[in-house]
Amino acid sequence: MNALTRSLTTFLSLSVLIACTSAPKPTETPKSSETAAFTQAGVMRPTNQIRSPATAVFAQGASFAPAPGSPVLVGPGSGGIVLADVNRDGHLDLITQHLLNQNVAVQLGDGKGRFTPVANGPLKLDYEPSAIAVADVNNDAILDLGIASKDNDKAYVHIYLGNDKVGFSEAAGSPLTVSAFAEGYKPSLRFVDVNEDGKPDIVTANGRRNTLELLFGDGRGGFSTGPVLKLSGQGQFSFALGDVDGDGHMDIVTASTGGPNLGPGSVVTKRGDAKGGFEEAAPSATAPGARVKTLADMNGDQHLDVVLSHDDRNYLSVLLNDGYGLFKAAPGSPFDVGKNAFAVVVADVNRDKKADLLVATVNSRAKPFESRIAVLLGGDGFVGAPGSPFRAGAGAYNLTVGDVNEDGKVDVAASSFEGDSVTVLLGR
């Protein structure tokens, strides 16, 4: 299966590994990138420091090394980052979102880990792009681009159709107005087939509102208004999509950060009915500042588990699924990752058939916003991979993974909001 086909099948999105309708197998290296009631946790404190690898493991050398040409110059202020085959040559390309410069840039991959900018330059916008995602929304086998944005009144989703010249043009009917403005928070965006008609739909939200908005795709580049889902909890909201109860239908897992005094957060599952409808299970408390980062099979039982970060705390929580959408904290959870975690991807880094964590961590409290990519090998808890954490550009709030040099190993690309380049690390 080539890179484009995999991109179209999973309706790639950023930020996190997008959820899928069945548990991803950690034994498979992703060609391109980019989680009922929960056990009450209350206010948790990290109980496990990440252990150092044994001396014998260190002798193998670092698990990642900079790609040739890394860091890759993409322009100032990169945020959202996606690896996908834009020009259908079988190689992964690099797409980056630039909020303050108001553009989306595309760098073409050569299959060896190098990237060069497209000849026609970045897609210039007259608004600030808040989030990006890609999918083939008009069924022409060419990836299209979705961009979330807002102004002082409304939030929007813009649809740009891809062409065979590696360019994008705005679709008829775009932008789509999806919700009222919410101050101080950028809208998010996912492409996923919610109603199981084989066409990408849109799920979007603004984290300060307690709603999710659904738009149903027609397979021709158009979208119609779907339901608005109310969310339980208070504070700020995050979400991920996947089949957590094993019925074959897409569910939504949401988290809220908690009240103004950092009381307990909450995690809720909305069970999908394959028609775009969702039924909410009772919310359960978790540690303050909870944010859903990804859904993935963390313990190899073929059920999607939940990975959470926590605002202003240096740890991740892992909640294991019993196969019916009921969750409990994994042994040793939460896990200390050294700095505040902003993005998390799950993949099998060392090819031992166990799920590993790749975490974008940033000291967001002080300049120069020092950033590291922590790589934690799964097994009996999590162990820091040889060489971890790895340096990244300042303000590396987003990362994604894919096999950019086509050697069957997991590679990493991380943004730099404070710089002008993307860090690309090749798996070894």
Side-chain angles (χ1 to χ4, degrees):
M1 185 181 293
N2 63 29
L4 175 59
T5 302
R6 293 187 181 178
S7 299
L8 301 182
T9 300
T10 56
F11 308 137
L12 279 173
S13 87
L14 68 159
S15 107
V16 266
L17 192 67
I18 62 171
C20 52
T21 55
S22 61
K25 298 178 181 179
T27 58
E28 296 178 353
T29 299
K31 182 68 174 177
S32 56
S33 64
E34 63 131 3
T35 275
F38 285 68
T39 302
Q40 181 168 340
V43 178
M44 297 187 296
R45 294 179 180 176
T47 57
N48 275 23
Q49 300 290 322
I50 300 304
R51 305 190 305 277
S52 296
T55 302
V57 177
F58 270 119
Q60 299 172 4
S63 51
F64 287 90
S70 178
V72 179
L73 184 66
V74 297
S78 59
I81 183 168
V82 174
L83 287 170
D85 184 9
V86 176
N87 60 347
R88 299 182 293 169
D89 65 352
H91 306 314
L92 288 178
D93 307 313
L94 181 66
I95 308 171
T96 51
Q97 162 245 346
H98 301 260
L99 179 77
L100 300 181
N101 272 31
Q102 298 187 3
N103 68 56
V104 173
V106 177
Q107 317 285 324
L108 299 180
D110 65 358
K112 300 177 182 178
R114 294 183 180 273
F115 295 89
T116 56
V118 294
N120 48 2
L123 174 64
K124 297 180 179 180
L125 310 169
D126 59 1
Y127 57 87
E128 293 183 345
S130 300
I132 58 173
V134 297
D136 180 12
V137 302
N138 60 345
N139 199 33
D140 64 354
I142 300 174
L143 285 177
D144 309 308
L145 175 67
I147 304 176
S149 73
K150 68 172 187 176
D151 58 22
N152 291 330
D153 183 40
K154 300 286 186 180
Y156 307 92
V157 173
H158 307 253
I159 302 297
Y160 292 83
L161 302 181
N163 58 48
D164 57 8
K165 298 180 181 179
V166 199
F168 296 94
S169 56
E170 193 155 14
S174 176
L176 309 162
T177 301
V178 292
S179 64
F181 163 78
E183 186 174 359
Y185 206 87
K186 307 300 182 185
S188 56
L189 171 67
R190 305 285 192 277
F191 282 119
V192 65
D193 184 9
V194 173
N195 57 356
E196 299 181 18
D197 64 354
K199 303 164 186 173
D201 306 312
I202 291 172
V203 183
T204 184
N206 183 306
R208 290 196 182 274
R209 288 192 324 275
N210 63 336
T211 58
L212 292 175
E213 288 77 39
L214 273 61
L215 300 169
F216 295 131
D218 63 7
R220 301 185 298 274
F223 292 85
S224 59
T225 301
V228 176
L229 307 180
K230 294 290 185 180
L231 306 181
S232 298
Q234 57 180 327
Q236 299 177 15
F237 298 87
S238 56
F239 70 96
L241 299 105
D243 178 18
V244 298
D245 58 5
D247 65 355
H249 304 317
M250 190 68 62
D251 308 310
I252 300 176
V253 177
T254 69
S256 60
T257 56
N261 296 321
L262 279 182
S266 64
V267 180
V268 180
T269 294
K270 288 181 171 292
R271 302 177 185 273
D273 64 3
K275 300 177 182 178
F278 293 86
E279 180 180 353
E280 182 170 304
S284 294
T286 185
R291 295 183 186 272
V292 178
K293 288 304 176 184
T294 190
L295 307 179
D297 179 13
M298 300 302 299
N299 58 352
D301 64 358
Q302 301 302 304
H303 306 309
L304 288 177
D305 308 310
V306 185
V307 181
L308 302 171
S309 68
H310 301 273
D311 286 353
D312 298 321
R313 287 164 172 80
N314 298 339
Y315 56 85
L316 296 175
S317 297
V318 176
L319 306 179
L320 299 180
N321 188 347
D322 67 356
Y324 301 96
L326 300 177
F327 295 81
K328 64 178 180 180
S333 178
F335 300 96
D336 193 322
V337 294
K339 292 184 175 67
N340 196 3
F342 283 88
V344 181
V345 173
V346 175
D348 183 13
V349 171
N350 58 347
R351 301 177 297 284
D352 64 351
K353 301 182 181 180
K354 297 177 182 178
D356 307 316
L357 293 168
L358 299 99
V359 189
T361 67
V362 182
N363 179 4
S364 59
R365 300 178 182 89
K367 292 181 178 180
F369 308 106
E370 182 182 67
S371 301
R372 295 289 187 272
I373 306 302
V375 181
L376 313 177
L377 303 181
D380 181 16
F382 290 95
V383 178
S388 176
F390 299 90
R391 290 184 179 275
Y397 297 107
N398 293 275
L399 63 75
T400 190
V401 300
D403 185 9
V404 300
N405 63 342
E406 300 170 15
D407 64 353
K409 301 172 185 177
V410 175
D411 307 316
V412 181
S415 65
S416 175
F417 190 75
E418 306 299 330
D420 59 6
S421 301
V422 163
T423 300
V424 178
L425 301 174
L426 299 183
R428 301 178 67 177

